[in-house]
Amino acid sequence: AAANGTLSYQWKKDGQDLSGKTTATLGFGAVALSDAGSYTVVVTNTLNGTTATATSSAATLTVNEAPTAPVFTTSPLPQTVTEGASVTLTALATGNGTLSYQWQKGGANLPGKTDPTLAFSSVALSDAGTYTVVATNAKNGATRTAASSAAVLTVNASGSFAITVDPQPATV
């Protein structure tokens, strides 16, 4: 349909005029939670000194809250243990959605290791390495991730010892 005359537009949110929103299209940059509401546009047609107005049907804009990146409140700490000992690495994160965890060794996912703690009941020499955990925060169909700081797990062979101070030459 075409209109004769001069058209002007005024967008409204929840029945209130939106200042400066007077074009045929209402656009949003980065949508914020405060943008949620009911939108209408009033179109005014002026021809030969006569004015007519029409108001559109309401369009409801729903804005879902996005997840924030997880923030680690506890990161795993480096540990040195003897082969056969038990050891636990712990990490905890916070977020505004549903958190999940995935432990990694040397950057590779450890299948099934999705708890905030990674426990070894009898650590083996092959368990030595660098461990991190990736936390994922999910909300309203979107996800954000963050990785913990790395923790090095050092495993010494049982029955072995380490020299922590080199012998010094002495003259008697």
Side-chain angles (χ1 to χ4, degrees):
N4 293 322
T6 304
L7 296 178
S8 61
Y9 303 87
Q10 177 59 62
W11 284 93
K12 296 177 180 271
K13 177 185 173 199
D14 299 326
Q16 300 298 313
D17 287 352
L18 293 172
S19 178
K21 303 301 181 183
T22 57
T23 60
T25 303
L26 179 62
F28 295 88
V31 178
L33 290 173
S34 61
D35 291 326
S38 177
Y39 290 86
T40 57
V41 63
V42 176
V43 180
T44 303
N45 186 13
T46 304
L47 180 65
N48 298 326
T50 302
T51 301
T53 62
T55 302
S56 70
S57 300
T60 300
L61 176 62
T62 302
V63 181
N64 294 322
E65 185 179 18
T68 57
V71 175
F72 280 91
T73 57
T74 303
S75 289
L77 298 173
Q79 297 194 41
T80 300
V81 294
T82 302
E83 178 183 24
S86 63
V87 65
T88 300
L89 302 175
T90 301
L92 291 173
T94 61
N96 66 343
T98 303
L99 287 169
S100 60
Y101 299 90
Q102 175 60 64
W103 284 92
Q104 298 178 338
K105 179 182 177 189
N109 286 348
L110 296 172
K113 303 300 181 186
T114 56
D115 292 324
T117 58
L118 179 62
F120 300 87
S121 58
S122 180
V123 72
L125 291 173
S126 60
D127 292 324
T130 302
Y131 290 85
T132 55
V133 62
V134 174
T136 300
N137 188 19
K139 186 170 187 144
N140 294 321
T143 60
R144 301 281 304 271
T145 61
S148 70
S149 57
V152 175
L153 176 61
T154 303
V155 181
N156 294 322
S158 61
S160 67
F161 61 92
I163 297 174
T164 58
V165 177
D166 288 332
Q168 301 296 316
T171 305
V172 179

